[in-house]
Short mmCIF file of all heavy atoms in Angstrom, two decimals:
data_model
loop_
_atom_site.label_atom_id
_atom_site.label_comp_id
_atom_site.label_asym_id
_atom_site.label_seq_id
_atom_site.Cartn_x
_atom_site.Cartn_y
_atom_site.Cartn_z
N GLY A 18 -4.83 29.08 -15.59
CA GLY A 18 -4.26 28.01 -14.78
C GLY A 18 -5.26 27.50 -13.76
O GLY A 18 -5.38 26.29 -13.54
N MET A 19 -6.00 28.41 -13.14
CA MET A 19 -6.99 28.03 -12.14
C MET A 19 -8.14 27.25 -12.75
O MET A 19 -8.57 26.22 -12.23
CB MET A 19 -7.52 29.28 -11.42
CG MET A 19 -6.49 29.95 -10.53
SD MET A 19 -7.14 31.47 -9.79
CE MET A 19 -5.77 31.91 -8.71
N LEU A 20 -8.68 27.77 -13.86
CA LEU A 20 -9.87 27.11 -14.42
C LEU A 20 -9.52 25.78 -15.07
O LEU A 20 -10.32 24.83 -15.04
CB LEU A 20 -10.60 28.04 -15.39
CG LEU A 20 -10.05 28.30 -16.79
CD1 LEU A 20 -10.53 27.25 -17.79
CD2 LEU A 20 -10.47 29.69 -17.27
N LYS A 21 -8.30 25.63 -15.64
CA LYS A 21 -7.90 24.36 -16.23
C LYS A 21 -7.68 23.31 -15.14
O LYS A 21 -8.00 22.12 -15.33
CB LYS A 21 -6.63 24.53 -17.07
CG LYS A 21 -6.80 25.39 -18.31
CD LYS A 21 -7.76 24.79 -19.32
CE LYS A 21 -7.96 25.69 -20.54
NZ LYS A 21 -8.91 25.12 -21.52
N LYS A 22 -7.16 23.75 -14.00
CA LYS A 22 -7.01 22.81 -12.88
C LYS A 22 -8.38 22.39 -12.36
O LYS A 22 -8.62 21.20 -12.10
CB LYS A 22 -6.21 23.47 -11.76
CG LYS A 22 -5.98 22.54 -10.55
CD LYS A 22 -5.10 23.19 -9.49
CE LYS A 22 -4.87 22.23 -8.33
NZ LYS A 22 -3.97 22.80 -7.30
N ALA A 23 -9.29 23.36 -12.21
CA ALA A 23 -10.64 23.05 -11.74
C ALA A 23 -11.35 22.11 -12.71
O ALA A 23 -12.04 21.17 -12.29
CB ALA A 23 -11.44 24.34 -11.56
N ALA A 24 -11.15 22.33 -14.02
CA ALA A 24 -11.78 21.46 -15.03
C ALA A 24 -11.22 20.04 -14.95
O ALA A 24 -11.97 19.07 -15.05
CB ALA A 24 -11.56 22.04 -16.42
N ALA A 25 -9.90 19.93 -14.76
CA ALA A 25 -9.30 18.59 -14.65
C ALA A 25 -9.86 17.85 -13.43
O ALA A 25 -10.17 16.66 -13.51
CB ALA A 25 -7.78 18.72 -14.55
N LEU A 26 -9.98 18.56 -12.32
CA LEU A 26 -10.52 17.93 -11.10
C LEU A 26 -11.98 17.53 -11.28
O LEU A 26 -12.40 16.45 -10.83
CB LEU A 26 -10.38 18.90 -9.92
CG LEU A 26 -8.94 19.18 -9.46
CD1 LEU A 26 -8.91 20.37 -8.49
CD2 LEU A 26 -8.34 17.95 -8.80
N ALA A 27 -12.77 18.39 -11.94
CA ALA A 27 -14.18 18.07 -12.19
C ALA A 27 -14.31 16.89 -13.15
O ALA A 27 -15.13 15.98 -12.94
CB ALA A 27 -14.91 19.29 -12.74
N ASN A 28 -13.49 16.89 -14.22
CA ASN A 28 -13.52 15.76 -15.16
C ASN A 28 -13.07 14.46 -14.50
O ASN A 28 -13.60 13.39 -14.80
CB ASN A 28 -12.61 16.08 -16.36
CG ASN A 28 -13.28 17.02 -17.35
OD1 ASN A 28 -14.47 16.90 -17.65
ND2 ASN A 28 -12.51 17.97 -17.88
N HIS A 29 -12.11 14.56 -13.61
CA HIS A 29 -11.64 13.37 -12.89
C HIS A 29 -12.76 12.79 -12.04
O HIS A 29 -12.91 11.56 -11.92
CB HIS A 29 -10.44 13.73 -12.01
CG HIS A 29 -9.86 12.58 -11.27
ND1 HIS A 29 -9.94 12.44 -9.90
CD2 HIS A 29 -9.20 11.46 -11.72
CE1 HIS A 29 -9.35 11.32 -9.54
NE2 HIS A 29 -8.90 10.71 -10.62
N GLN A 30 -13.56 13.66 -11.46
CA GLN A 30 -14.68 13.21 -10.63
C GLN A 30 -15.82 12.65 -11.48
O GLN A 30 -16.44 11.64 -11.11
CB GLN A 30 -15.19 14.38 -9.79
CG GLN A 30 -16.36 14.03 -8.87
CD GLN A 30 -16.76 15.19 -7.97
OE1 GLN A 30 -15.91 15.92 -7.45
NE2 GLN A 30 -18.06 15.39 -7.79
N LEU A 31 -16.07 13.24 -12.64
CA LEU A 31 -17.24 12.88 -13.45
C LEU A 31 -16.91 11.93 -14.61
O LEU A 31 -17.79 11.22 -15.08
CB LEU A 31 -17.89 14.15 -14.01
CG LEU A 31 -18.41 15.17 -12.97
CD1 LEU A 31 -18.83 16.46 -13.66
CD2 LEU A 31 -19.56 14.58 -12.16
N LYS A 32 -15.67 11.95 -15.07
CA LYS A 32 -15.26 11.12 -16.22
C LYS A 32 -13.90 10.48 -15.94
O LYS A 32 -12.94 10.66 -16.68
CB LYS A 32 -15.19 11.98 -17.49
CG LYS A 32 -16.50 12.62 -17.90
CD LYS A 32 -16.32 13.64 -19.03
CE LYS A 32 -15.94 13.00 -20.34
NZ LYS A 32 -15.95 13.96 -21.47
N SER A 33 -13.81 9.74 -14.85
CA SER A 33 -12.52 9.20 -14.41
C SER A 33 -11.93 8.20 -15.41
O SER A 33 -10.72 7.97 -15.42
CB SER A 33 -12.66 8.54 -13.04
OG SER A 33 -13.65 7.52 -13.07
N GLU A 34 -12.76 7.65 -16.28
CA GLU A 34 -12.23 6.72 -17.28
C GLU A 34 -11.41 7.46 -18.34
O GLU A 34 -10.51 6.88 -18.96
CB GLU A 34 -13.38 5.93 -17.95
CG GLU A 34 -14.25 6.68 -18.94
CD GLU A 34 -15.26 7.64 -18.30
OE1 GLU A 34 -15.32 7.69 -17.04
OE2 GLU A 34 -15.99 8.32 -19.04
N LYS A 35 -11.71 8.76 -18.53
CA LYS A 35 -10.94 9.55 -19.49
C LYS A 35 -9.92 10.45 -18.79
O LYS A 35 -8.78 10.58 -19.25
CB LYS A 35 -11.89 10.40 -20.35
CG LYS A 35 -12.72 9.57 -21.33
CD LYS A 35 -13.35 10.44 -22.39
CE LYS A 35 -14.01 9.57 -23.48
NZ LYS A 35 -14.54 10.38 -24.58
N MET A 36 -10.34 11.08 -17.71
CA MET A 36 -9.41 11.89 -16.93
C MET A 36 -8.91 11.02 -15.79
O MET A 36 -9.41 11.03 -14.67
CB MET A 36 -10.10 13.16 -16.39
CG MET A 36 -9.17 14.09 -15.60
SD MET A 36 -7.71 14.65 -16.51
CE MET A 36 -8.43 15.69 -17.76
N THR A 37 -7.88 10.24 -16.10
CA THR A 37 -7.35 9.25 -15.15
C THR A 37 -6.60 9.93 -14.00
O THR A 37 -6.28 11.13 -14.06
CB THR A 37 -6.39 8.29 -15.86
OG1 THR A 37 -5.27 9.06 -16.36
CG2 THR A 37 -7.08 7.58 -17.02
N ASP A 38 -6.28 9.15 -12.98
CA ASP A 38 -5.49 9.68 -11.86
C ASP A 38 -4.18 10.27 -12.34
O ASP A 38 -3.77 11.35 -11.91
CB ASP A 38 -5.19 8.56 -10.84
CG ASP A 38 -6.43 8.08 -10.11
OD1 ASP A 38 -7.47 8.76 -10.20
OD2 ASP A 38 -6.35 7.03 -9.46
N GLU A 39 -3.52 9.55 -13.26
CA GLU A 39 -2.21 9.97 -13.75
C GLU A 39 -2.31 11.28 -14.52
O GLU A 39 -1.51 12.20 -14.33
CB GLU A 39 -1.61 8.87 -14.64
CG GLU A 39 -0.19 9.15 -15.07
CD GLU A 39 0.40 8.05 -15.96
OE1 GLU A 39 -0.40 7.27 -16.54
OE2 GLU A 39 1.63 7.98 -16.05
N LYS A 40 -3.30 11.37 -15.40
CA LYS A 40 -3.47 12.60 -16.17
C LYS A 40 -3.81 13.77 -15.26
O LYS A 40 -3.23 14.87 -15.39
CB LYS A 40 -4.59 12.42 -17.21
CG LYS A 40 -4.21 11.62 -18.44
CD LYS A 40 -5.37 11.59 -19.42
CE LYS A 40 -5.01 10.78 -20.68
NZ LYS A 40 -6.13 10.76 -21.65
N CYS A 41 -4.74 13.56 -14.37
CA CYS A 41 -5.19 14.64 -13.47
C CYS A 41 -4.02 15.17 -12.63
O CYS A 41 -3.86 16.38 -12.48
CB CYS A 41 -6.32 14.13 -12.58
SG CYS A 41 -7.08 15.44 -11.57
N ALA A 42 -3.21 14.26 -12.13
CA ALA A 42 -2.08 14.68 -11.29
C ALA A 42 -1.09 15.52 -12.08
O ALA A 42 -0.60 16.56 -11.61
CB ALA A 42 -1.40 13.45 -10.70
N ALA A 43 -0.76 15.08 -13.30
CA ALA A 43 0.20 15.80 -14.13
C ALA A 43 -0.35 17.17 -14.54
O ALA A 43 0.37 18.17 -14.52
CB ALA A 43 0.56 14.98 -15.35
N ILE A 44 -1.62 17.18 -14.93
CA ILE A 44 -2.25 18.45 -15.33
C ILE A 44 -2.30 19.43 -14.17
O ILE A 44 -1.96 20.61 -14.32
CB ILE A 44 -3.66 18.20 -15.90
CG1 ILE A 44 -3.57 17.45 -17.23
CG2 ILE A 44 -4.43 19.52 -16.07
CD1 ILE A 44 -4.92 16.94 -17.75
N CYS A 45 -2.68 18.94 -13.00
CA CYS A 45 -2.78 19.83 -11.83
C CYS A 45 -1.43 20.42 -11.45
O CYS A 45 -1.33 21.59 -11.09
CB CYS A 45 -3.39 19.07 -10.65
SG CYS A 45 -5.16 18.77 -10.81
N LYS A 46 -0.38 19.61 -11.56
CA LYS A 46 0.96 20.12 -11.24
C LYS A 46 1.37 21.19 -12.25
O LYS A 46 1.93 22.23 -11.87
CB LYS A 46 1.98 18.99 -11.22
CG LYS A 46 3.34 19.42 -10.73
CD LYS A 46 4.29 18.27 -10.51
CE LYS A 46 5.64 18.76 -9.98
NZ LYS A 46 6.61 17.67 -9.81
N ALA A 47 1.10 20.96 -13.52
CA ALA A 47 1.42 21.96 -14.55
C ALA A 47 0.61 23.23 -14.34
O ALA A 47 1.13 24.35 -14.48
CB ALA A 47 1.15 21.39 -15.94
N CYS A 48 -0.66 23.07 -13.99
CA CYS A 48 -1.51 24.24 -13.72
C CYS A 48 -0.99 25.04 -12.53
O CYS A 48 -1.03 26.28 -12.54
CB CYS A 48 -2.95 23.80 -13.47
SG CYS A 48 -3.83 23.24 -14.95
N ASP A 49 -0.53 24.35 -11.50
CA ASP A 49 0.02 25.04 -10.33
C ASP A 49 1.21 25.91 -10.73
O ASP A 49 1.41 27.02 -10.19
CB ASP A 49 0.45 24.04 -9.26
CG ASP A 49 -0.73 23.42 -8.53
OD1 ASP A 49 -1.82 24.02 -8.57
OD2 ASP A 49 -0.57 22.34 -7.94
N GLU A 50 2.00 25.44 -11.67
CA GLU A 50 3.15 26.23 -12.15
C GLU A 50 2.68 27.45 -12.94
O GLU A 50 3.28 28.53 -12.84
CB GLU A 50 4.07 25.36 -13.00
CG GLU A 50 4.77 24.27 -12.19
CD GLU A 50 5.66 23.38 -13.06
OE1 GLU A 50 5.77 23.64 -14.28
OE2 GLU A 50 6.24 22.42 -12.51
N VAL A 51 1.60 27.29 -13.71
CA VAL A 51 1.02 28.43 -14.42
C VAL A 51 0.51 29.46 -13.41
O VAL A 51 0.79 30.67 -13.53
CB VAL A 51 -0.12 27.99 -15.35
CG1 VAL A 51 -0.84 29.21 -15.95
CG2 VAL A 51 0.40 27.10 -16.47
N ILE A 52 -0.21 29.00 -12.40
CA ILE A 52 -0.77 29.89 -11.38
C ILE A 52 0.34 30.64 -10.64
O ILE A 52 0.21 31.83 -10.33
CB ILE A 52 -1.64 29.08 -10.39
CG1 ILE A 52 -2.87 28.50 -11.11
CG2 ILE A 52 -2.07 29.94 -9.21
CD1 ILE A 52 -3.60 27.43 -10.32
N ALA A 53 1.44 29.95 -10.38
CA ALA A 53 2.56 30.55 -9.65
C ALA A 53 3.39 31.50 -10.51
O ALA A 53 4.31 32.15 -10.02
CB ALA A 53 3.45 29.45 -9.07
N GLY A 54 3.08 31.57 -11.82
CA GLY A 54 3.82 32.45 -12.72
C GLY A 54 5.14 31.88 -13.21
O GLY A 54 5.95 32.59 -13.80
N GLN A 55 5.35 30.59 -12.99
CA GLN A 55 6.62 29.97 -13.37
C GLN A 55 6.73 29.71 -14.87
O GLN A 55 7.83 29.47 -15.37
CB GLN A 55 6.78 28.65 -12.61
CG GLN A 55 6.89 28.83 -11.10
CD GLN A 55 6.85 27.50 -10.35
OE1 GLN A 55 6.90 26.43 -10.96
NE2 GLN A 55 6.75 27.57 -9.03
N LEU A 56 5.60 29.77 -15.58
CA LEU A 56 5.62 29.48 -17.02
C LEU A 56 5.23 30.69 -17.85
O LEU A 56 4.80 30.56 -19.00
CB LEU A 56 4.68 28.30 -17.32
CG LEU A 56 4.93 27.01 -16.54
CD1 LEU A 56 3.92 25.94 -16.94
CD2 LEU A 56 6.36 26.50 -16.75
N SER A 57 5.38 31.88 -17.29
CA SER A 57 4.89 33.09 -17.96
C SER A 57 5.55 33.32 -19.32
O SER A 57 4.92 33.88 -20.24
CB SER A 57 5.11 34.31 -17.07
OG SER A 57 6.48 34.44 -16.73
N GLN A 58 6.79 32.87 -19.49
CA GLN A 58 7.49 33.07 -20.76
C GLN A 58 6.93 32.22 -21.88
O GLN A 58 7.31 32.39 -23.05
CB GLN A 58 8.99 32.79 -20.59
CG GLN A 58 9.37 31.33 -20.39
CD GLN A 58 9.34 30.89 -18.93
OE1 GLN A 58 8.57 31.43 -18.13
NE2 GLN A 58 10.19 29.94 -18.59
N HIS A 59 6.01 31.33 -21.56
CA HIS A 59 5.41 30.46 -22.56
C HIS A 59 4.03 30.96 -23.02
O HIS A 59 3.32 30.25 -23.72
CB HIS A 59 5.29 29.03 -22.00
CG HIS A 59 6.61 28.45 -21.59
ND1 HIS A 59 7.51 27.93 -22.49
CD2 HIS A 59 7.20 28.35 -20.37
CE1 HIS A 59 8.58 27.50 -21.85
NE2 HIS A 59 8.42 27.75 -20.55
N PHE A 60 3.69 32.20 -22.61
CA PHE A 60 2.41 32.80 -23.00
C PHE A 60 2.69 34.12 -23.73
O PHE A 60 2.62 35.20 -23.14
CB PHE A 60 1.53 33.03 -21.77
CG PHE A 60 1.04 31.76 -21.14
CD1 PHE A 60 1.81 31.10 -20.19
CD2 PHE A 60 -0.17 31.20 -21.52
CE1 PHE A 60 1.36 29.92 -19.61
CE2 PHE A 60 -0.64 30.02 -20.95
CZ PHE A 60 0.15 29.37 -20.00
N PRO A 61 2.99 34.06 -25.03
CA PRO A 61 3.47 35.23 -25.77
C PRO A 61 2.38 36.01 -26.51
O PRO A 61 2.68 37.03 -27.13
CB PRO A 61 4.41 34.61 -26.79
CG PRO A 61 3.73 33.31 -27.14
CD PRO A 61 3.09 32.83 -25.86
N LEU A 62 1.13 35.56 -26.47
CA LEU A 62 0.14 36.11 -27.39
C LEU A 62 -0.33 37.50 -26.99
O LEU A 62 -0.40 37.86 -25.82
CB LEU A 62 -1.04 35.16 -27.52
CG LEU A 62 -0.71 33.76 -28.04
CD1 LEU A 62 -1.97 32.97 -28.31
CD2 LEU A 62 0.17 33.85 -29.30
N VAL A 63 -0.68 38.28 -28.01
CA VAL A 63 -1.12 39.65 -27.80
C VAL A 63 -2.63 39.70 -27.56
O VAL A 63 -3.36 38.75 -27.84
CB VAL A 63 -0.76 40.54 -29.01
CG1 VAL A 63 0.76 40.64 -29.15
CG2 VAL A 63 -1.40 40.02 -30.29
N VAL A 64 -3.06 40.85 -27.05
CA VAL A 64 -4.49 41.10 -26.84
C VAL A 64 -5.23 41.11 -28.17
O VAL A 64 -6.36 40.60 -28.29
CB VAL A 64 -4.69 42.44 -26.11
CG1 VAL A 64 -6.17 42.82 -26.05
CG2 VAL A 64 -4.09 42.38 -24.71
N TRP A 65 -4.57 41.66 -29.19
CA TRP A 65 -5.24 41.92 -30.47
C TRP A 65 -5.19 40.66 -31.35
O TRP A 65 -4.41 40.55 -32.27
CB TRP A 65 -4.59 43.12 -31.15
CG TRP A 65 -4.37 44.21 -30.15
CD1 TRP A 65 -3.18 44.60 -29.60
CD2 TRP A 65 -5.37 45.02 -29.53
NE1 TRP A 65 -3.38 45.60 -28.69
CE2 TRP A 65 -4.71 45.89 -28.62
CE3 TRP A 65 -6.76 45.10 -29.63
CZ2 TRP A 65 -5.38 46.83 -27.84
CZ3 TRP A 65 -7.43 46.03 -28.85
CH2 TRP A 65 -6.75 46.88 -27.98
#
């Protein structure tokens, strides 16, 4: 969640034509929910 948010912010700064304000805002909000553990039930994969 942290690195995807950081990547969105970096892409917004360096490639704003592709990572638009609208996309960046939505992605950052979703990432914040991942970081807060609110979406943990959506990560089912095993280590192996």
Side-chain angles (χ1 to χ4, degrees):
M19 291 177 175
L20 76 87
K21 294 296 178 181
K22 181 176 181 178
L26 292 168
N28 281 319
H29 182 249
Q30 180 175 320
L31 300 171
K32 299 170 69 172
S33 57
E34 73 284 358
K35 290 195 172 185
M36 182 57 67
T37 63
D38 291 347
E39 186 180 20
K40 283 183 180 181
C41 187
I44 292 170
C45 286
K46 187 171 181 182
C48 288
D49 286 339
E50 292 178 3
V51 173
I52 295 166
Q55 295 172 9
L56 305 180
S57 57
Q58 71 272 29
H59 302 281
F60 291 88
L62 300 188
V63 295
V64 172
W65 316 106

